[in-house]
C-alpha cells in the first residue's frame, strides 16, 4: 500500500517535483536569495556593533520611560529615581525618592522651624521687654514647630527627612561626644553624596 502524505487542515499542498530536478535551477535560486541574506546579516551586524555607551544610553532612555509609572498612582506625579551602577558593584540597582518633590512630615516641620527661627532672630532685642513678651514672640514664631519636633515628632518618610533630621541635630550643637558628632556628619555626607539630599 502506498504511503501518501495527507495535508493537515489549512495546510497547503506540497509542491510535487516530478522527474529530474535541476541543480542549476537550485543554484540560481540560492544565488538570488543572497541579497536578502546579506541584508539580514547587515542588520544583525549593526545590532551587534552597538557600543557599551550606546547600549547604556538606549537602556537608560527605556528605563526613564518606565519610571514614569513606577510606584506612582494613576494620574500622580512620579517621585522615584532609579540609580544604576555597573553590575559588578555590590548594589548595582536601587531606587530613591526625588529629594526635591516628595513631601516628608519631618523635613517639612524642620523647614518650618528654621524659617520661624529666622523670623524670631530678626526681631530687635528691644522688643523683648519681659519674659512673658518673649514667650509670646516665641509662640508666634518658632515655638509651635519646636514643640512638634519635641513632643509630637513627625515621622521621616524619605531620605530627605533623614538628612534634614541629621542636619537639625548638628545645628543644635548638642553633641557631648566629638566622635559621635563626627560619625553623624560622616553619615550625612554619605547621604548628600549618594542620594543628593
Amino acid at each position: 500500500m502506498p504511503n501518501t502524505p495527507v495535508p493537515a487542515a489549512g495546510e497547503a499542498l506540497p509542491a510535487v517535483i516530478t522527474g529530474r530536478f535541476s541543480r542549476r535551477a537550485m543554484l540560481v535560486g540560492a544565488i538570488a536569495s543572497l541579497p536578502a541574506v546579506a541584508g539580514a546579516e547587515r542588520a544583525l551586524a549593526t545590532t551587534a556593533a552597538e557600543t557599551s555607551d550606546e547600549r547604556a544610553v538606549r537602556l537608560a532612555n527605556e528605563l526613564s520611560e518606565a519610571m514614569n509609572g513606577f510606584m506612582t498612582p494613576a494620574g500622580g506625579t512620579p517621585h522615584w529615581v532609579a540609580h544604576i551602577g555597573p553590575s559588578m558593584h555590590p548594589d548595582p540597582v536601587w531606587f530613591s525618592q526625588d529629594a526635591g518633590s516628595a513631601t516628608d512630615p519631618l523635613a517639612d516641620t524642620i523647614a518650618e522651624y528654621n524659617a520661624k527661627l529666622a523670623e524670631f532672630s530678626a526681631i530687635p532685642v528691644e522688643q523683648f521687654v519681659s519674659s512673658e513678651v518673649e514667650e509670646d514672640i516665641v509662640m508666634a514664631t518658632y515655638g509651635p514647630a519646636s514643640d512638634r519636633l519635641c513632643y509630637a515628632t513627625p515621622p521621616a518618610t524619605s531620605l530627605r527627612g533623614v538628612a534634614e533630621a541629621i542636619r537639625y541635630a548638628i545645628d543644635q550643637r548638642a553633641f557631648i561626644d566629638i566622635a559621635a558628632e563626627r560619625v553623624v556628619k560622616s553619615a550625612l555626607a554619605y547621604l548628600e553624596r549618594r542620594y543628593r539630599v
Side-chain angles (χ1 to χ4, degrees):
M1 178 168 206
N3 190 1
T4 307
V6 178
E11 187 176 83
L13 291 172
V16 176
I17 299 177
T18 56
R20 293 192 60 176
F21 60 89
S22 166
R23 288 188 182 147
R24 182 175 184 278
M26 285 178 56
L27 183 61
V28 168
I31 290 173
S33 67
L34 282 179
V37 171
E41 185 177 316
R42 270 193 306 276
L44 288 174
T46 302
T47 304
E50 183 179 49
T51 67
S52 294
D53 292 349
E54 293 166 337
R55 183 172 179 230
V57 169
R58 179 179 54 79
L59 292 173
N61 286 327
E62 290 178 22
L63 178 61
S64 177
E65 282 296 318
M67 290 300 295
N68 288 332
F70 180 75
M71 296 191 60
T72 304
T77 303
H79 293 295
W80 288 88
V81 177
H83 305 271
I84 310 298
S87 61
M88 62 190 79
H89 190 276
D91 188 17
V93 179
W94 48 277
F95 301 90
S96 66
Q97 289 182 326
D98 179 10
S101 60
T103 60
D104 184 288
L106 182 58
D108 294 344
T109 304
I110 291 170
E112 177 188 348
Y113 168 83
N114 289 332
K116 295 294 186 175
L117 185 60
E119 282 180 27
F120 177 83
S121 299
I123 297 172
V125 162
E126 295 80 31
Q127 290 189 17
F128 298 102
V129 293
S130 69
S131 59
E132 291 82 18
V133 171
E134 182 177 355
E135 184 60 28
D136 289 343
I137 294 172
V138 166
M139 292 313 290
T141 55
Y142 73 90
S146 179
D147 287 347
R148 283 197 310 279
L149 289 172
C150 185
Y151 303 113
T153 310
T157 58
S158 70
L159 291 175
R160 182 173 69 96
V162 173
E164 290 302 325
I166 294 172
R167 286 187 194 102
Y168 173 82
I170 292 168
D171 291 345
Q172 296 303 307
R173 296 185 181 104
F175 286 98
I176 296 172
D177 183 359
I178 190 83
E181 181 178 8
R182 289 179 178 167
V183 166
V184 169
K185 285 181 177 180
S186 176
L188 177 60
Y190 171 78
L191 288 175
E192 289 173 339
R193 186 176 57 252
R194 174 105 189 233
Y195 298 99
R196 297 182 182 163
V197 292

